[in-house]
Amino acid sequence: MSTDPDAEGESNVESGAARESPPGDAPEEREAERDAAATTEETRSASAETTRPDTEGLLAVRDLDAGYGDLQVLDEVDLDVADGEYVVIVGPNGAGKSTVMKSVFGLTSFMGGAIEFDGTDIAGMVPEDIIHYGLGYVPQNENVFAGLSVRENLEMGAYILDEFPDDKLAEVFERFPILEERQEQKAGTLSGGQRQMLAMGRALMLDPKLLMLDEPSAGLAPDLVDEMFDRIDGINESGTAILMVEQNAKEALRRCDRGYVLVNGSNRFEDDGDVLLHDEEVRQEFLGG
Amino acid sequence: MAGAVAVLLLLDLLRRLVDGSLGPSTLLTYLWTGLVIGLIYGLAGIGLSLTYSILNFANFAHGEYVTVGAFSGFSTAYLVAGGGIATLGNLFLLRPAAGQVGVSITSAPFAVVVGLLVAVVATVVVALVLDRVVYKPMRSAEGISLLIASIGVAFVVRYLLAIVYGTQRPGVTAGTQRYFVGEALGLGRFIVDAHQLIILVAAAVLVVGVHLLLTRTKLGKSMRAMADNEDLARVTGIPTERVIRSTWVLGGGLAGAAGFLLVLSQGTIAYNIGWRLLLLIFAAVILGGIGSVYGAVLGGIIIGIVQQASAVWLSGVWSDMTLPVTFALLIVILLIRPQGIYGGVETT
């Protein structure tokens, strides 16, 4: 990233733009590939025409089987996230939505399939190693170190870096000014919304290519939920791809690029967020009409 | 109820001071010796508290780490101080032929310093080896399995030391400089000796050092993070195994130092000193709030002072009751504040 002070204000945008078209990968070429992929795609899609991106995207999960101990939860799950894309997983309770993210991050028992992230096979890796590839994860519960100060939490977010990224800290503080105000305060004393911001800030300290969020609106007061979604939009707009599990399915689908409906540990529907949102079957079964 | 008893005891203490049945110098002596021994409990307690919160089990072998520090430190001090007086073997085994070597800070300051350093290093090595051999293969086991394993470790270490050093309880220190502080202040007989001062200084330096480590360094913060939430630490990319090793280094080193200082203060050494201390260390840690470093030190000081000062009321045939009274106080405090003094406040 540029260290030119003049470019500071636009650094987010710049890095986002740079990511969407990495060197040696011309946009036209990718468009063509995408179209080719679309025509050959099997139809699990809610609409006739699928929009699944080319498999050269950021995250590609194929036929993933995973679970806890001997208990298999996921059955041949497929999932893709392209560079800079905003993808949401919705579905009924117990469908295995969180398990998908945990499995990608190496927190479950891997039982088969393939997980490729940014060109690296990460299936079976431990989180400690996965995090080095630019994948960030914010768990649903207990996602801050309550006994550490806000600043210390953010420092832990950058643990794997040899040199502390002052520029990233500044970015996080700019994005979440309340964290700068409360940086000396113990994280355990923060409100639910502030904790969620801190948890995201901690993950953003490594400037991940993909940020996985597990129910970021859970436990928030209704008037804070929209604000939280706005912040997530903001993170996505500055170039970070988002993979999110949400109970608040309608709002999540309204805002995302693409969505997956997961039922009983398997893919059921996948399509553009808006398409899913207006699909009669999806509405009836999963969005409460 | 407990408050009323405390007030009554305080009033009685004042009455005794006023009517002269308790000299101020005697009370000072109780407080001072209680502080010194309490600091040793606290030093040993920091390690126990850290391993409890980071590895999630109560390490019953922690007392043996104290004993390892005591023996390794004093064997070294004897070897340094006793050249030519006895064979190296006998010096190592703390069995000089005739005429004891007897180490003290005034007679052999260099030997004491080297002994303390070796006590720390040797105990760190023992703690790391035990972790690698016993605890690491059990890393994912329940706390209760680890606890039982640690009782086994305690027995093995204790009796290995008994086989090497025997089961007698020799005196190993020489007299040292005594400062008649009480006389100087016109308060009667209140003596501070050089070993007690060494303990005070060493304990203060170590506690401040641990505080700085935990609050200022990346390693220390990651230790607190892991004590706080192990799953999140893993998700954040904190190398948990490295943090665990650091915990043993820190906890083992402090236990070793505590063992050496304990012998320096009480003068005698035996294969079971750490084991006998373990209950008091646990008491200090629980009283302070398990997982809290400051709590362990404060808890240690309270336990030490109560143990000594209860002699105000428990004299003659009752003097054997100091330990039960100490634990009774622990129970009372925990009834009032179950989480301990610092418990639930913060991890440091």
Side-chain angles (χ1 to χ4, degrees):
Chain A
M1 180 167 296
S2 168
T3 49
D4 181 1
D6 293 334
E8 215 169 76
E10 292 165 345
S11 59
N12 283 344
V13 181
E14 268 177 24
S15 70
R19 266 204 214 97
E20 269 157 29
S21 52
D25 192 355
E28 307 84 21
E29 209 176 297
R30 301 180 79 223
E31 278 304 316
E33 271 174 30
R34 193 168 299 187
D35 289 341
T39 49
T40 56
E41 189 63 60
E42 57 175 311
T43 34
R44 258 182 180 163
S45 166
S47 67
E49 198 180 351
T50 181
T51 52
R52 185 189 279 192
D54 64 86
T55 50
E56 303 298 313
L58 196 52
L59 175 70
V61 176
R62 289 290 170 272
D63 298 327
L64 176 64
D65 296 339
Y68 305 96
D70 292 332
L71 176 73
Q72 185 174 345
V73 177
L74 301 183
D75 185 18
E76 303 199 341
V77 168
D78 289 337
L79 182 85
D80 288 272
V81 181
D83 265 329
E85 202 182 15
Y86 185 171
V87 174
V88 162
I89 308 175
V90 298
N93 281 330
K97 303 184 295 286
S98 299
T99 309
V100 173
M101 286 208 281
K102 285 183 185 162
S103 302
V104 169
F105 210 64
L107 292 166
T108 61
S109 313
F110 175 73
M111 296 169 180
I115 308 172
E116 200 173 283
F117 180 74
D118 203 19
T120 310
D121 176 17
I122 59 167
M125 274 195 196
V126 294
E128 207 175 303
D129 295 329
I130 290 174
I131 199 165
H132 289 264
Y133 292 95
L135 187 54
Y137 170 57
V138 178
Q140 183 186 348
N141 298 312
E142 297 185 0
N143 52 19
V144 298
F145 297 110
L148 270 60
S149 73
V150 168
R151 197 193 153 92
E152 286 171 337
N153 266 273
L154 296 173
E155 286 173 17
M156 287 299 105
Y159 185 92
I160 63 168
L161 303 179
D162 292 328
E163 206 172 318
F164 185 73
D166 289 306
D167 55 334
K168 287 287 162 294
L169 183 70
E171 278 178 33
V172 169
F173 280 159
E174 199 180 326
R175 192 181 290 285
F176 306 120
I178 189 78
L179 297 183
E180 183 165 25
E181 254 170 63
R182 312 226 156 157
Q183 54 177 310
E184 300 304 326
Q185 211 170 308
K186 290 266 182 283
T189 64
L190 297 180
S191 72
Q194 291 163 355
R195 277 187 202 217
Q196 202 57 254
M197 287 183 231
L198 178 57
M200 287 186 204
R202 182 181 48 68
L204 289 174
M205 288 298 288
L206 292 178
D207 197 17
K209 297 191 186 88
L210 171 62
L211 181 62
M212 299 195 293
L213 303 169
D214 196 347
E215 307 233 358
S217 79
L220 293 188
D223 54 323
L224 290 177
V225 171
D226 249 10
E227 204 184 313
M228 185 56 61
F229 279 123
D230 287 344
R231 292 183 194 284
I232 296 166
D233 286 351
I235 294 170
N236 182 237
E237 275 154 23
S238 53
T240 305
I242 304 277
L243 177 61
M244 179 170 83
V245 164
E246 248 311 311
Q247 285 287 357
N248 210 327
K250 280 185 185 168
E251 187 60 27
L253 288 174
R254 195 167 295 135
R255 294 184 181 243
C256 71
D257 295 326
R258 283 187 315 116
Y260 287 81
V261 181
L262 207 67
V263 180
N264 287 332
S266 297
N267 293 59
R268 180 76 171 269
F269 298 104
E270 61 173 283
D271 213 317
D272 283 355
D274 287 332
V275 177
L276 288 176
L277 199 56
H278 296 105
D279 184 86
E280 197 53 36
E281 200 180 343
V282 174
R283 285 184 75 91
Q284 289 297 333
E285 273 191 73
F286 306 107
L287 303 177
Chain B
M1 171 41 198
V5 173
V7 170
L8 276 180
L9 285 175
L10 260 180
L11 286 175
D12 186 55
L13 194 69
L14 279 177
R15 180 189 64 79
R16 284 166 191 258
L17 277 172
V18 171
D19 75 10
S21 61
L22 175 70
S25 61
T26 314
L27 183 62
L28 268 179
T29 303
Y30 288 148
L31 292 176
W32 170 244
T33 50
L35 172 70
V36 170
I37 192 75
L39 282 171
I40 293 172
Y41 300 158
L43 275 187
I46 291 173
L48 189 66
S49 192
L50 282 174
T51 47
Y52 179 85
S53 52
I54 292 176
L55 285 105
N56 301 314
F57 80 103
N59 182 18
F60 271 71
H62 198 73
E64 270 52 49
Y65 296 8
V66 172
T67 319
V68 166
F71 275 107
S72 57
F74 267 86
S75 284
T76 306
Y78 264 51
L79 286 171
V80 171
I85 296 174
T87 65
L88 291 182
N90 279 338
L91 284 172
F92 180 82
L93 295 174
L94 308 174
R95 283 179 206 148
Q100 294 244 328
V101 175
V103 168
S104 85
I105 188 69
T106 32
S107 70
F110 183 65
V112 170
V113 172
V114 174
L116 179 60
L117 292 177
V118 170
V120 169
V121 173
T123 314
V124 164
V125 170
V126 168
L128 287 176
V129 168
L130 286 172
D131 180 59
R132 184 67 196 81
V133 175
V134 182
Y135 301 123
K136 192 174 179 200
M138 302 180 64
R139 201 68 92 209
S140 54
E142 294 286 314
I144 193 75
S145 311
L146 287 159
L147 185 154
I148 290 167
S150 77
I151 294 176
V153 169
F155 274 106
V156 170
V157 174
R158 182 151 76 251
Y159 288 102
L160 278 176
L161 286 170
I163 289 166
V164 174
Y165 287 95
T167 55
Q168 69 281 32
R169 191 181 180 91
V172 288
T173 59
T176 186
Q177 183 67 46
R178 284 145 50 110
Y179 306 98
F180 295 87
V181 177
E183 274 88 340
L185 296 172
L187 288 170
R189 196 173 171 75
F190 167 52
I191 300 163
V192 169
D193 78 33
H195 284 164
Q196 292 173 323
L197 290 176
I198 292 291
I199 291 167
L200 188 73
V201 171
V205 167
L206 288 171
V207 170
V208 170
V210 170
H211 170 75
L212 292 177
L213 176 84
L214 288 175
T215 55
R216 300 286 159 83
T217 69
K218 192 170 166 181
L219 173 68
K221 288 173 192 176
S222 66
M223 291 173 77
R224 286 164 54 214
M226 196 168 153
D228 210 88
N229 188 336
E230 191 180 334
D231 291 335
L232 188 61
R234 201 162 280 131
V235 167
T236 310
I238 292 172
T240 50
E241 273 302 317
R242 199 190 306 162
V243 173
I244 288 173
R245 277 199 300 279
S246 311
T247 307
W248 285 118
V249 169
L250 188 58
L254 291 171
F260 185 84
L261 296 173
L262 175 72
V263 173
L264 202 58
S265 89
Q266 70 183 21
T268 57
I269 193 167
Y271 74 104
N272 60 359
I273 52 168
W275 179 246
R276 293 168 59 124
L277 203 66
L278 184 66
L279 215 50
L280 288 162
I281 303 172
F282 264 119
V285 169
I286 293 168
L287 181 61
I290 198 147
S292 160
V293 167
Y294 307 125
V297 176
L298 185 67
I301 292 172
I302 292 175
I303 295 281
I305 288 178
V306 168
Q307 212 186 344
Q308 297 293 321
S310 58
V312 171
W313 296 278
L314 302 170
S315 53
V317 290
W318 293 101
S319 60
D320 285 344
M321 293 296 287
T322 53
L323 215 49
V325 164
T326 307
F327 286 108
L329 178 87
L330 173 69
I331 292 170
V332 170
I333 293 185
L334 290 180
L335 282 174
I336 300 167
R337 204 176 152 73
Q339 70 275 42
I341 297 170
Y342 274 94
V345 179
E346 52 184 274
T347 39
T348 50

